[in-house]
Amino acid sequence: MDGRDLVRSVKSVGSSGAAQRLRTVAAAWRGRRADAGALPARGAERARVPGPVREVEPGPGGGVVRFARSELRVLVTVSGAVFWGWDGAGPEPSYALAGRSPEPDPRAVLEPDKDGGWRVVAERMTVIVSRLGAVEVRTPGGVTLRRDLPPRWWEPVGGGAGRWMQRSETAADARFFGLGARASGPRLRDGVYRLWNTAPGRPLGPGQDPLSVTMPMLLVVADAATHLVFHDCSWDGALTLREGEEGAGSGHDRPGACELRMDGGPLRCWVVVGTPARVLLGWAALTGAPALPPAWALGHQHAARGAGSEQEVRRIVAGFQEHGLPLDAVHLDAGHLDGQRAFAVDRERFPKLPVLADEVRRDGIRLVSPVEPAVAVRPGDAVFDAGTALDAFVRDPSGRPVRGMARAGESVFPDFTHARVRAWWGGLYAERVAQGFAGFWHGLDEPTTLAAFGDRTLPWSAAHSLEGRGGDHREAHNVYGLCMARAAHEALGELVPEERPFVLSRAGWAGLQRYGGVWPGEVAAGWPGLRAALSTTVGLGLSGIPYAGTDVGGVGGDVPAELLLRWLQLGAYLPLFRTHAGARVGRRELWEYGAQTLEHARVALAERRRLAPYFMTLAQVARRTGTPCVRPVWWGAPEDRALRDCEDAFLLGDCLLVAPVLAPGVERRAVRLPRGRWYDAVTERVYEGPAQVLVEAPPSRIPVLVRAGAVVPVRGDDGGVELEVWAPAPGRSGGGLLITDTGEGGADPEPERHAVRWAGQRLVVERECEGGVAQPLLPVRVRGLVGDQAQ
C-alpha cells in the first residue's frame, strides 16, 4: 500500500467519521497482507510454446492434436460453433455456458492439411492447425478471418499457475466490437482493454476503462464475414487491439492485431462465424437466452434517490401523475433500508411499505429495491448469524471470513460460487417481496467495498468454492456479480412464480443475460457522459446483453435543461429507460425545469409509451434469437464500411433508425442512412439511402427515421395495439412482426407476421396465417402515402 492508495482509501469514504476512515484503511491493509502471505511472489519463470506436432487423435467433431510441449483439443458442435482448448482444457466447467456444452457434430472430421498441419471442416468455417500450433479460421470459400499464432505460457519454475499470451491477426478491413460495457465504444479502436470488473469510483465517462461488466468476447466485423471469438477465462487480463490498414495502390495490407494476456486460467475459446444475426444467435445458444423482462420494465422507470420516507415517495409519484408524465416503476435507494439489519426495511421511515407498494401498484407503478452483497458484521442479526452458521462467507487463506467496509460498516461477503450459498441468499429476497417490491437492482456487486481502491476489492487470495473445485478471488472476481444475479433470478422464480423476475445488475460476465439486464453504474453528467451512455448500451447489446441502459442525465452536479432533454429523448429509445433525481446526485425532478422543458419531456415519455408493443416484440425476439434491441446501423449491411464507422446513431429493431443529439446547440444533424427508403417519423419526409443526409433536430425531438415497408406495432389512442404501416417504395414490399405479452408467467406467444405490398396503385396489408394470408386482426394506420389508397 503506497501513498496514492492511502489517499484513495480515505477519499472512498468521503466525509465519514474518523473511526470509519481508520477501519477502511485497516481493512485495506488486511487484504494486502493476506495476499502477500498467501500468493507466491512472481519469481523465475520458464517460457513454453507448443512445439512441433507429434501425433493426432481424431474424435467426434474434431479431435486432439498433440505437440511436443502441449496439446490442442478442437471440437465442432452441432450448433455450428467451434471450440478449442490448450493443455487439456475442455468446454466445461464454465460459468458462461448455459448448461452443458453442445454435442459434437459427427460430420466434422480432423484430416491432414498441407505442410504437416491438420484441419477440421465445419459448415460455416474451416479450422486449420499448423504443425507448430497456429490456428486459422477461414470461410468456406477460403478467406482467412483470423489467425491465432502459437500461444506462449510463462510458468513459475517452482510450479503453480502460469500466465499466458495469445496473439492473433484479423483482416485488414476488420472492426472490433464487444468486450462488455465500454464507455469509449461501441467500436473499439486501438488501445489496451482490461478484462477485470471494476467500480470506477466516480461517474463514468468516455475515457474510463474498465467498467463493471467486462468479458473476453470480441465481435469482429469484416467484408468477408463477421465472427465472434470468446476466450472462456475469468482471470484478470488485458486485450490489446490494433486495427488493420489496407494498402494503397501497390502497398501491402497490414492485418489487424489482437494480443490477449491472462494472469492465469485455461486457454480455451469459442468461435462463431456468419452474419451478425447468426453470430449472436450462436452466442445465445452457447451462453443462454436473454431473460424476458416484465412488461412494466419496458416502460419509464424513475430512481427516487434520497427519498427518505414513504411521504417523499408518494410526493414523487403524485408529481408525475399531476404533470401527466407516464411512470411504470420507482427505484428506491439504500436509504429505505435498516442499516443495522441486513435485508430489513427501516420501519421508522417506511412503517407501512406494503401499503405504499399496493397503492402505487393500483396505479400501474412497481417498486424496485437495491441489494448489495455486503452483510454487516453484527452478531445477533438473523442474516449474519445464519450466514455464519452456513459458512456462507468468503474466507481468507487462514480460514477467517474476509471483512471489508460497506455502507453498514464492517461487512462480510457471501460466496456466490457455492450452490448452497446462492440458495440461502435467494431465500432472503422473500422479506423484500413481502414488503411489496416487484424487482431488484444490484449494486457494488463487482464486488467492491469502501476500502477498495485501484483494482483491489476482496483480497486476491480470498478462497471461493467455485462449485466445489476450489480457487481464489483471481478466478472468482469477474463471475461474482453473475452468480449473485443467478441467485436472485432463480429465487424470484420460486418466490413469485406468477411474475417474471426483474433483476438489474451493475456487474457481470458472459451469460449474465440469462438472469436479467445491466445498469453499468453512474454516468458522469455532461455531454461526454451522454455519448458514453449510448456507447455502453450498444456495446452491451453486441456482447449478448440486450436489456441495458444508463440513468438519464447522469450524476455529478446540476444538469442543464438542454442536456437533460436530449438525454431523455435518447433514453426513450433504449431498452432500460430510467430517469432519476435527488439531492445526492444534484438533480431536479422533470417538472422543476420549466414549462417548455416539461412539455418536450412529456412528448418523449408519451412516445415511449406509444412504442410499448414494439419494445415487447423486440424483447421477445431477443429472447428467442439473441438479437439485440439496440443495434449499430451496420447491422443489416456489415459490408458497408461507411456504416461500420458510424457511432452516433443506432437501429431500434429492424424498423427505426434513431439519431440522438450528442452536443449542445444542435438543431440539425447529419445522419448516415443504410440502403433503402427512409421516412422522417414526424414529417414523413422521404430520404433515399445509402447516403448521408441532413435532418431537422428541433428541441422538441431527436431525428427518428422509419424504414419504408415497416409494420410497427404501437399503442393506439384507446390503449389497444394497432399497426403503423409505412408505405414501401413503388414496386417493393415490406412487413413486420408482432409478439404480444400473454402474461407475466404465461406460455410463449406465437409471432404474428404482417406483410405489406403494392397491388397496382393500392397498398395491401395482410396477416400471414396457416394456409395463406388474411386480413389483419388489428387496426391499421398507413403512413408515408401521398394521394394513394390503402387496404
Side-chain angles (χ1 to χ4, degrees), residues 162-192:
R163 54 194 178 95
W164 53 267
M165 176 188 70
Q166 175 72 73
R167 287 196 176 112
S168 309
E169 296 177 349
T170 61
D173 68 286
R175 295 291 180 262
F176 303 119
F177 303 86
L179 299 186
R182 301 288 167 171
S184 58
R187 175 181 159 193
L188 304 174
R189 288 174 166 77
D190 296 1
V192 180

Side-chain angles (χ1 to χ4, degrees), residues 545-570:
I545 304 176
Y547 185 71
T550 62
D551 286 340
V552 168
V555 300
D558 194 23
V559 179
E562 182 187 10
L563 173 60
L564 174 71
L565 194 57
R566 293 309 195 185
W567 208 317
L568 188 75
Q569 291 165 346
L570 166 63

Side-chain angles (χ1 to χ4, degrees), residues 293-354:
W296 58 263
L298 293 170
H300 171 220
Q301 305 177 53
H302 183 70
R305 304 231 176 145
S309 67
E310 292 179 6
Q311 292 73 22
E312 182 67 12
V313 175
R314 286 190 174 92
R315 185 193 68 80
I316 292 172
V317 171
F320 278 93
Q321 295 172 335
E322 177 185 347
H323 294 91
L325 302 174
L327 182 63
D328 297 278
V330 174
H331 293 230
L332 303 185
D333 66 9
H336 80 284
L337 300 176
D338 184 346
Q340 304 301 310
R341 297 183 299 126
F343 269 87
V345 172
D346 188 327
R347 295 187 182 276
E348 290 187 6
R349 293 180 294 120
F350 290 83
K352 298 180 180 180
L353 190 53

Side-chain angles (χ1 to χ4, degrees), residues 368-380:
V368 179
S369 175
V371 177
E372 297 173 0
V375 175
V377 178
R378 288 195 174 87

Side-chain angles (χ1 to χ4, degrees), residues 386-395 413-416 418 420-421 424:
T388 301
L390 189 67
D391 191 20
F393 303 121
V394 176
R395 293 181 173 271
F413 300 83
D415 181 7
F416 295 120
H418 196 303
R420 184 180 71 246
V421 176
W424 164 71

Side-chain angles (χ1 to χ4, degrees), residues 520-613:
E522 296 177 335
V523 180
W527 294 98
L530 174 59
R531 186 175 289 272
L534 173 59
S535 298
T536 53
T537 305
V538 176
L540 284 165
L542 293 176
S543 300
I545 304 176
Y547 185 71
T550 62
D551 286 340
V552 168
V555 300
D558 194 23
V559 179
E562 182 187 10
L563 173 60
L564 174 71
L565 194 57
R566 293 309 195 185
W567 208 317
L568 188 75
Q569 291 165 346
L570 166 63
Y573 294 97
L574 300 182
L576 171 61
F577 179 30
R578 188 171 85 165
T579 55
H580 70 157
R584 188 178 71 82
V585 293
R587 290 288 313 282
R588 296 171 283 168
E589 300 292 354
L590 291 175
W591 50 89
E592 298 175 326
Y593 279 85
Q596 187 177 48
T597 298
L598 176 62
E599 183 57 33
H600 294 335
R602 189 178 290 116
V603 170
L605 294 175
E607 179 65 4
R608 174 60 175 235
R609 177 148 291 193
R610 192 181 77 91
L611 290 174

Side-chain angles (χ1 to χ4, degrees), residues 138-464:
R138 297 179 183 174
T139 67
V143 178
T144 299
L145 296 178
R146 71 179 296 110
R147 183 172 187 268
D148 288 2
L149 303 178
R152 182 180 295 269
W153 294 266
W154 288 268
E155 299 163 333
V157 171
R163 54 194 178 95
W164 53 267
M165 176 188 70
Q166 175 72 73
R167 287 196 176 112
S168 309
E169 296 177 349
T170 61
D173 68 286
R175 295 291 180 262
F176 303 119
F177 303 86
L179 299 186
R182 301 288 167 171
S184 58
R187 175 181 159 193
L188 304 174
R189 288 174 166 77
D190 296 1
V192 180
Y193 298 87
R194 193 177 178 196
L195 302 168
W196 185 256
N197 289 354
T198 303
R202 60 188 184 279
L204 67 91
Q208 291 181 335
D209 183 80
L211 300 182
S212 54
V213 181
T214 69
M215 61 184 78
M217 175 274 211
L218 195 64
L219 195 68
V220 185
V221 181
D223 286 355
T226 296
H227 76 272
L228 177 153
V229 58
F230 168 57
H231 285 85
D232 194 351
C233 177
S234 62
W235 285 61
D236 191 5
L239 179 64
T240 302
L241 298 178
R242 188 194 68 190
E243 292 181 345
E245 184 177 337
E246 294 181 293
S250 60
H252 295 288
D253 287 353
R254 188 193 73 187
C258 311
E259 180 182 285
L260 177 62
R261 292 178 178 264
M262 286 287 189
D263 285 350
L267 202 174
R268 56 184 182 178
C269 77
W270 291 88
V271 175
V272 185
V273 174
T275 64
R278 186 180 291 277
V279 163
L280 285 188
L281 174 63
W283 177 246
L286 281 175
T287 62
L292 182 65
W296 58 263
L298 293 170
H300 171 220
Q301 305 177 53
H302 183 70
R305 304 231 176 145
S309 67
E310 292 179 6
Q311 292 73 22
E312 182 67 12
V313 175
R314 286 190 174 92
R315 185 193 68 80
I316 292 172
V317 171
F320 278 93
Q321 295 172 335
E322 177 185 347
H323 294 91
L325 302 174
L327 182 63
D328 297 278
V330 174
H331 293 230
L332 303 185
D333 66 9
H336 80 284
L337 300 176
D338 184 346
Q340 304 301 310
R341 297 183 299 126
F343 269 87
V345 172
D346 188 327
R347 295 187 182 276
E348 290 187 6
R349 293 180 294 120
F350 290 83
K352 298 180 180 180
L353 190 53
V355 175
L356 171 64
D358 186 60
E359 287 178 4
V360 298
R361 185 177 283 238
R362 287 198 296 268
D363 291 329
I365 301 169
R366 269 66 172 184
L367 293 185
V368 179
S369 175
V371 177
E372 297 173 0
V375 175
V377 178
R378 288 195 174 87
D381 173 65
V383 175
F384 175 75
D385 289 348
T388 301
L390 189 67
D391 191 20
F393 303 121
V394 176
R395 293 181 173 271
D396 64 21
S398 67
R400 294 172 297 186
V402 174
R403 297 187 178 190
M405 293 303 298
R407 298 182 197 274
E410 194 170 41
S411 302
V412 289
F413 300 83
D415 181 7
F416 295 120
T417 68
H418 196 303
R420 184 180 71 246
V421 176
R422 288 195 297 270
W424 164 71
W425 183 264
L428 299 177
Y429 287 74
E431 182 169 349
R432 302 271 180 98
V433 170
Q435 294 288 340
F437 287 107
F440 302 89
W441 57 293
H442 292 171
L444 303 182
D445 52 339
E446 289 79 10
T448 191
T449 73
L450 291 179
F453 43 80
D455 55 10
R456 295 300 180 104
T457 50
L458 300 184
W460 291 344
S461 58
H464 290 263

